[in-house]
Amino acid sequence: MMNTELVLWVSLAIGLLFGISGQLSGFCFYRGLTERWSGRSGYKLQGFALALAVALAGTQLAAGYGLISLDKVLYLNPTFSWLLVPLGGVLFGAGMTLANGCGARALVLLGQGNLRSFVVVLCLGIAAYITLTGLLAPLRMSIAQASSVTLPAATLSEGPLRSMVIALLVAALIAFALLRRQDGQRLNDLLAGAFVGLLIVAGWLTTGWLGDDPFEPLPVSSLSFVAPIGESIQYAMISTGMSPRFTIMIVVGVVAGSLLSALLRRRWKLEGFESPRHMLRSMAGGALMGVGGVLALGCTIGQGLSGLSTLSATSLLAVLGIIVGARLTWTRPSA
């Protein structure tokens, strides 16, 4: 089996495991935020924190032992748009609220028969590619060029200080994850979080170690669900003119894994929209996530887990924008 084929099969397996885990646990950053804002009990946010702790520790260990090189990773590019990254985060957060979940969650729900998520995924993928390479691309590139800044060289070079900072961050995330709340599926959410964190590390190892081929080099990346959804839609339309990629296999795997889990648990059920207004809300949410995700260079998984696992300052800026956008759009449910 060729190295590229092995990478694709491993990518599909990672996607399957993510889809199964998401369907079993309901892993979702947005649900964690709304639990806190509404005063409800639950461990979704703690599960996400544990996912980040595992992803951060695993990614940095893999890089430290030379298994992967993060030098050319998108998230660590010192030049970025000080305007578009936070703005994109705000737009993504607003869209996430309107669609009641991020792109990764929409793929999981699609696998278990949620037709609302099908509309969200379509709108997200199309809007992402309109922004990335389509009608909005020239405007995006012009604004990015006019608002670009370059961060100074990182002061946390390899050494004891960097290791200490990483250890403190991981310890703080684990301490938060283990905080007791009144109620909720504590073990389920924490196990799901730890498992997703391992999948982020597996993604880095798949592209950065397993896919390290000098003749057919792969971009070093891990899980993300904005541009990859657009790529998957494009591949479905012109598969004879392009080759499957790591990102596409992840997306396919997530839907297939969720479908398999839902069928085995007898949780597969077709669900539609309650009203035309509900449909418009989901369409707007998907479109905002597509545009915002491209501007912010990622989503709650791409920037929130994969990006932050590299200690990227840009990822932190994007995630803060996502939280702000979600909070400004979210409304407390009526009693």
Side-chain angles (χ1 to χ4, degrees):
M1 183 182 294
M2 294 178 61
N3 200 46
T4 52
E5 293 178 354
L6 182 59
V7 166
L8 292 178
W9 282 111
V10 173
S11 305
L12 180 62
I14 292 172
L16 281 166
L17 292 173
F18 187 97
I20 292 170
S21 174
Q23 203 283 321
L24 287 172
S25 67
F27 179 85
C28 180
F29 182 57
Y30 175 69
R31 286 181 65 184
L33 291 177
T34 57
E35 281 178 354
R36 293 301 176 117
W37 294 338
S38 62
R40 292 182 285 115
S41 297
Y43 289 90
K44 289 290 184 290
L45 199 57
Q46 270 114 322
F48 192 88
L50 190 56
L52 179 54
V54 173
L56 175 58
T59 301
Q60 295 302 318
L61 282 172
Y65 280 103
L67 295 176
I68 58 173
S69 174
L70 300 176
D71 292 342
K72 296 182 180 180
V73 167
L74 171 69
Y75 308 115
L76 292 178
N77 187 341
T79 301
F80 69 98
S81 170
W82 61 265
L83 174 61
L84 293 185
V85 169
L87 175 61
V90 170
L91 292 177
F92 186 93
M96 183 172 68
T97 301
L98 292 175
N100 200 32
C102 66
R105 185 62 186 159
L107 290 174
V108 171
L109 292 176
L110 173 60
Q112 62 185 45
N114 191 314
L115 299 180
R116 301 189 298 272
S117 294
F118 179 70
V119 173
V120 170
V121 167
L122 280 181
C123 291
L124 188 158
I126 293 171
Y129 257 59
I130 288 174
T131 311
L132 189 64
T133 59
L135 293 173
L136 294 179
L139 177 62
R140 173 184 62 82
M141 290 186 288
S142 297
I143 296 175
Q145 186 174 12
S147 59
S148 289
V149 294
T150 301
L151 294 176
T155 56
L156 268 182
S157 57
E158 297 296 333
L161 179 59
R162 179 184 175 88
S163 299
M164 186 179 301
V165 170
I166 293 171
L168 288 173
L169 288 173
V170 171
L173 288 166
I174 293 175
F176 173 77
L178 296 180
L179 285 176
R180 281 277 184 183
R181 290 178 65 78
Q182 292 179 351
D183 194 14
Q185 296 178 312
R186 185 170 189 258
L187 183 61
N188 188 41
D189 287 334
L190 293 183
L191 285 176
F195 189 68
V196 169
L198 289 174
L199 292 179
I200 298 296
V201 180
W204 289 120
L205 290 171
T206 300
T207 58
W209 176 65
L210 188 62
D212 185 18
D213 187 337
F215 298 103
E216 294 185 72
L218 292 175
V220 181
S221 61
S222 189
L223 276 64
S224 190
F225 293 98
V226 176
I229 288 178
E231 282 184 303
S232 301
I233 294 173
Q234 184 185 41
Y235 180 75
M237 295 187 293
I238 58 168
S239 60
T240 55
M242 64 183 293
S243 301
R245 305 168 186 168
F246 168 80
T247 50
I248 294 172
M249 300 306 288
I250 290 288
V251 170
V252 172
V254 171
V255 178
S258 176
L259 172 63
L260 177 63
S261 176
L263 288 174
L264 290 176
R265 300 175 67 216
R266 298 184 180 180
R267 298 292 179 88
W268 192 86
K269 179 183 178 183
L270 287 176
E271 296 181 74
F273 291 100
E274 299 171 359
S275 65
R277 180 184 177 89
H278 188 194
M279 183 175 181
L280 284 173
R281 182 181 174 95
S282 295
M283 291 172 65
L288 283 174
M289 283 195 289
V291 174
V294 169
L295 300 183
L297 307 178
C299 56
T300 53
I301 302 297
Q303 287 283 34
L305 292 179
S306 297
L308 286 179
S309 72
T310 68
L311 293 179
S312 165
T314 308
S315 297
L316 180 60
L317 186 61
V319 172
L320 290 175
I322 290 172
I323 295 172
V324 169
R327 188 64 182 85
L328 291 175
T329 314
W330 177 80
T331 55
R332 185 182 294 273
S334 56

